[in-house]
Amino acid sequence: QVRLVESGGGLVQSGGSLRLSCAASGFSFSSYGMSWYRQAPGKERELVARMSRGGGTEYIDSVKGRFTISRDNTKNTVYLQMNSLKPEDTAVYYCRRNYPPYWGQGTQVTVSS
């Protein structure tokens, strides 16, 4: 069955870094685009970054220059490197297979002031 398992979240101070990982199984990973979303308390879930199966990437303006999405098809894993973290980055981060969509369970990222 399809599985997406996020890891790497935690508590960091403003300006710190985290790398999130999403381990995929149950489908042909290299054939799908992948995305990272996040949902902050009281906010709607929003797209953060996406990567096509061909390697193209897109980011929302608020994370450009700070976050990097990447994938390792030999490990069936997509990553989100997050640098220069800000308190407003605090959210649950979700991994998603793009089409057809499939969601992971999420991992909490908390950035203190």
Side-chain angles (χ1 to χ4, degrees):
Q1 70 278 6
V2 175
R3 293 184 66 199
L4 298 173
V5 181
E6 300 98 331
S7 62
L11 174 64
V12 297
Q13 291 185 319
S14 181
S17 297
L18 286 172
R19 188 177 75 159
L20 306 184
S21 298
C22 173
S25 60
F27 63 98
S28 182
F29 178 76
S30 64
S31 297
Y32 292 86
M34 301 291 293
S35 299
W36 287 97
Y37 284 70
R38 67 186 180 188
Q39 187 166 22
K43 303 292 185 180
E44 297 294 316
R45 189 173 297 185
E46 66 174 348
L47 176 70
V48 177
R50 60 186 178 190
M51 188 172 200
S52 73
R53 64 178 185 173
T57 60
E58 295 182 347
Y59 303 88
I60 56 172
D61 287 343
S62 62
V63 308
K64 285 182 178 177
R66 300 189 297 120
F67 290 11
T68 303
I69 187 171
S70 62
R71 65 190 297 160
D72 186 341
N73 289 339
T74 69
K75 298 180 179 179
N76 288 354
T77 301
V78 61
Y79 304 95
L80 187 68
Q81 178 67 46
M82 305 185 295
N83 298 327
S84 301
L85 283 162
K86 305 174 181 180
E88 52 263 44
D89 295 319
T90 295
V92 177
Y93 284 72
Y94 298 90
C95 178
R96 193 191 82 156
R97 187 183 73 181
N98 286 349
Y99 304 107
Y102 193 91
W103 295 90
Q105 295 299 307
T107 185
Q108 176 71 49
V109 172
T110 303
V111 185
S112 62
S113 300

